[in-house]
Amino acid sequence: MSPEATQLTTNNSSIQGSPDGPRGRESDFPPPPFELPESIVSRKSSQSAMSEAVQMSKSPGLIRRLSNRASQFAGRRRQSSTTAMSREHSNGPVIIRRRSDSTNTAPDGGRGALFCDSDSDFNVEVPQEVCYSLMDGNRDFPSTTASIGSSTVPASSPAPGPVIPHILLQGTQMIKVTKKKKKMLMFVLEKEAAKVTWDKSRPSKSFYIDDIKDIRAGVDARNYRQEFGVAATDESRFFSIVYAVPDKQHGRAQKVMHLIAGDEQTFDLWTTTLDAISKHRQDLMASLSSFHDKAVRAYWRNEMNKLFPDKAHSEDDELIDIVGVERLCRSLHIHGSSAYLRQRFDQADVSRSGRLNFVEFQEFVRLMKRREDVKAIYMEIATDVEKGITMETFFDFLRTVQNEDVEVDLKYWKDVFTKFARRSKSKDQITVDGEVPRMNEAALSSYFISTFNVPLKAQPAQYTLDRPLNEYYISSSHNTYLLGRQVAGQSSVEAYISALNRGCRCVEVDCWNGSDGQPVVMHGHTLTSQVSFADVMSTISKYAFVKSPYPLWISLEVHCNPAQQAVMAEIIKQTCGSKLVTEPLDDVTDRMPTPSQLMYRILVKVKKPKSHEDPVVMEGVTGRNRGTSLSSPYIRPLQLDNSTISAGLLPPSPYSSRARMMKAGKYSGSEGPDSLSSSTSDSESFTEDANRSRDKKHKTSNIVKVLGELGVYSAGLKFTGFNTPESKSYNHIFSFMENTFDKNSRTTEDKRAISHHNMRYMMRVYPNGWRVASTNFDPLKYWRRGVQMVALNWQTYDLGMQMNDAMFAGGIDQSGYVEKPVDLRQIKMIPTPQGSGEKHVKLERKNVNFSIDVISAQQLMRPKNLPANRSVDPYIEVEVYHADEKTKENKGVVGQGGLDASGKDGSSGLGTPHKRRTQIFRENGFNPVFDKKFNFALTTKFPDLVFIRFIVKCSQDGSIYNDKPPLATYTAKLSSLKQGYRTLPLFDSNGDQFLFSTLFCRIKIDPMTSVYVDGPETSPVETNGVFRSIRQTVFSRTPMSPKLSMDSVTNKVTTNSNHNFDSIVQKSSSISASVTKL
């Protein structure tokens, strides 16, 4: 499927996009009168998965055996009556639910227009690259954006809600299908509560319409129909509803309900009505939260109808008191103090009667809409505050503050300004010919929250990824088939759909023998459920390129017998068809191809098949052990005395003169010791020791040829050292469990060996098996070693997953492929000048300086268990993560401003962020203004691996900071952030984006500068050896040698005794340090 047909997703794994596009029917129901329920929503956020990750990291790693009795209830959570009642009669959702099922009419992202001045629509012609970025709700933009430039967002208040057929309110009988049985039940749609129930005596037997994530029918639900044994004749009446359910211990879980309607008419009524209600409630909530004029009028009319149900009255009698106003604010999740609301109420109450008429109520709304933080910016920008901002002034602001390149598409920005300027005028104002258009304060506020002011860089309309696959980080998933915990979670194709819709480019499939001769997917030796391998492959093939056109990897962990392996191979070929890579590309037979060469292609990663033949290995240079040769396939290098040097040209080191053997890892895979002789897990550890490695040298794989041959560019190998012949095959891949990797990468030699290997070849690292709650590690540990596939548990939105989302969020990174830093792709060196007397080479580092102004927050949610008589007391924390190890010489990030909340010594490093805090803003979760500036400075080897995490927290008493789970978070890679004033989206602990909660910040990033530090001390003998080896081998390299950087070719620098080091640095600004200190 082409990207143009893509339906993109939020950060939550659950919102699905069907590559087939919408196929639903238009509703024939006439619109009903506009009506709003009156009660209040009390949202209870679950415990953060991040805190759980911390606890799990302290686990002894033992998985307790569950009794048969316990296994019956593993993974099940009943929703409490209290929780259910707290959501009755909701005005609308607080989480973005982007739907993309076969009856899809829901908005893409549900972006409301927060505090927009008018209901006029904007039809700005947005460039394709901007559209692509803006539609990606899980990455780029806040939910509280104006409707400008997006046809999926209502610029005005939503149309009157759909009529609910009376028969659904009374209830209809449908068959509920499970694996164990089929049962006829009465399903009732409760209008006021906006939920569906099938047992009123049990609150858990229901789901809220706001929690519906997807409705599948027809072809989209066929795999479920076949799995549950439903006849093909029932397909036209069979549908599946994917919905979220609260889980007290593990956040938001997901369920799928399968139903068979009695007839096609009932089927149509349920699918179209649920979809229409879901869409309308999301639009309604966005419009009310934005105080659209029509929505405000509708709310006023609703209140008056309640006061005068059947009474004749005049407009003068229509008044609303403070109680009605507070009810409105609570239902819209405006969590401000009563004093704040009373102050605004009194300002609007011109008559001093204690009640507001409609005109005064409109003034109250205007006062609530006004943002003091934007007012200050407007006063600074506008040359004439009364008249407004001219186009010239606006463009100057875009260039100097927002760092936008206006000249690239001047017409586009002119259209944007014109639309906002038009919004500055009321409908009854007459435009005078020749009048200079201007933007007023409200229009500027609308711009800041619009889709034209996203926080992340947009994806270009066209681009290529033309480096070999091994030179990219690849967005990768572990145990992709699981929706929950890896010990007792549910296996489902839904997990694959969600991961692929979020941009995952490497999914994992654990294959086991099925009882009927057909392989199944599950987590072996656990209580997880299983799903058909054929269904998994069909789903992967269907959704493979919904989000990204670049190649998808299928990582197979095979535990099947030979017969079922052959079945697997046949299924893969049938489901993937021509997309499957079954042989090397014509022009790429001895090296890894580029992502652009493999667009819309599927790669299989599987262990190398049975073979007694010696592997084909590229010969090294005569007379030299090329155990560390990490070459790449492009051009033959020029001989330069001072230039980028291929890893393949490094001299033998003490650790490369022998077959490099690592320490023992007890088990070779995530499953522990395999109990099946046919197990062929590709997830291998480092070898135990040299002797065992030699003993196993000729042990063959248990993968059959017909399956193993599918691993064209990713043949999994058992690790026996970096110098073995097999480890020099261009298409091999090593897979390591995190614990084994960590144990065997402690010394400098080990780290260097791993990094050198990953410059030329592929590697995958996955979480430990003892992470029973499917928590994640810190991916920076492995990215800094050049590991391409850092596989995470995507179902858990903890810190690791947040950083992974940020890694692939901006610009071309949304492809699922991120080019590795140059120091992890090739070795660059600047030797010590002759005659300097120094014994150190110089290593290049980058000075990174940036500032973040945390200005304000908007409509924050209440935390769990906050007393009803308490308001929100928020504060903001900003964390900076980087990939450099903490040393005595380098304490990492240096910060200024606010309160330092870092570690005891104030230092930061890998796994230890630098953290700063704002003050606590008492009793205002609606529009707290922090106005706190933070400055950060960092000297780093990996400037592209710096991450910023924004955390919204709540004080328990209004004066004390705490370590409670955050209310919301947002994580971004520094290199992906756009500068200037940006509105940031916020996500809950499950990765769901809030519909209207945002942060408003200013970001400023200074140009990076280089600094050169002393590298490891070397002896003259070693130094001479380096260049002697270079001279001997530079012209005898194989075609697989890595390409020299263009900088090194165009910036030739010669070294002689007449040049001091400073002059060399000036002439080689683009040439990095010597052998990288790893």
Side-chain angles (χ1 to χ4, degrees), residues 870-875 920-923 953-955 957-958:
R870 285 284 316 283
S871 186
V872 181
D873 300 319
Y875 61 95
I920 298 172
F921 203 106
R922 292 180 59 88
E923 296 189 331
K953 305 191 79 171
C954 178
S955 172
D957 60 2

Side-chain angles (χ1 to χ4, degrees), residues 560-767:
C560 297
N561 58 35
Q564 294 201 22
Q565 287 185 41
V567 174
M568 286 176 57
E570 186 62 25
I571 291 173
I572 293 173
K573 292 176 181 178
Q574 288 181 354
T575 54
C576 297
S578 61
K579 293 178 287 188
L580 182 66
V581 175
T582 57
E583 58 185 17
L585 303 183
D586 293 340
D587 57 341
V588 189
T589 57
D590 61 351
R591 55 186 171 87
M592 295 297 279
T594 70
S596 290
Q597 290 176 304
L598 291 171
M599 290 180 68
Y600 299 104
R601 302 299 299 274
I602 294 177
L603 304 169
V604 173
K605 171 186 167 293
V606 63
K607 197 169 184 179
K608 199 170 183 180
K610 297 178 181 179
S611 174
H612 296 285
E613 300 175 1
D614 292 331
V616 178
V617 182
M618 297 299 297
E619 292 185 359
V621 177
T622 303
R624 180 180 179 275
N625 183 337
R626 291 182 57 84
T628 55
S629 177
L630 307 168
S631 45
S632 176
Y634 287 87
I635 62 173
R636 295 180 180 275
L638 301 174
Q639 183 174 14
L640 303 175
D641 290 333
N642 186 19
S643 63
T644 299
I645 303 301
S646 162
L649 302 181
L650 293 178
S653 65
Y655 60 87
S656 63
S657 61
R658 64 186 188 280
R660 180 70 184 146
M661 301 303 170
M662 295 288 187
K663 301 174 185 176
K666 185 175 181 181
Y667 300 141
S668 64
S670 61
E671 304 296 346
D674 276 311
S675 60
L676 302 178
S677 59
S678 61
S679 173
T680 53
S681 170
D682 180 37
S683 304
E684 306 292 357
S685 72
F686 294 95
T687 52
E688 288 77 359
D689 52 53
N691 293 329
R692 291 187 62 182
S693 175
R694 286 193 292 269
D695 293 340
K696 292 185 178 183
K697 182 176 181 180
H698 299 292
K699 184 177 179 180
T700 60
S701 165
N702 287 322
I703 292 290
V704 298
K705 184 178 180 181
V706 68
L707 180 60
E709 286 177 339
L710 298 180
V712 176
Y713 289 117
S714 47
L717 294 181
K718 176 81 175 179
F719 180 81
T720 55
F722 289 125
N723 290 329
T724 61
E726 283 190 327
S727 70
K728 299 300 182 297
S729 57
Y730 77 97
N731 64 339
H732 81 271
I733 182 170
F734 291 135
S735 293
F736 301 121
M737 185 165 61
E738 60 166 307
N739 194 47
T740 307
F741 186 100
D742 294 344
K743 287 180 180 179
N744 293 279
S745 58
R746 292 173 178 169
T747 69
T748 302
E749 291 181 356
D750 292 341
K751 295 173 183 177
R752 187 179 297 124
I754 292 170
S755 296
H756 287 181
H757 171 274
N758 294 339
M759 288 182 181
R760 178 64 183 87
Y761 309 111
M762 300 289 290
M763 185 176 288
R764 177 176 180 266
V765 175
Y766 58 93

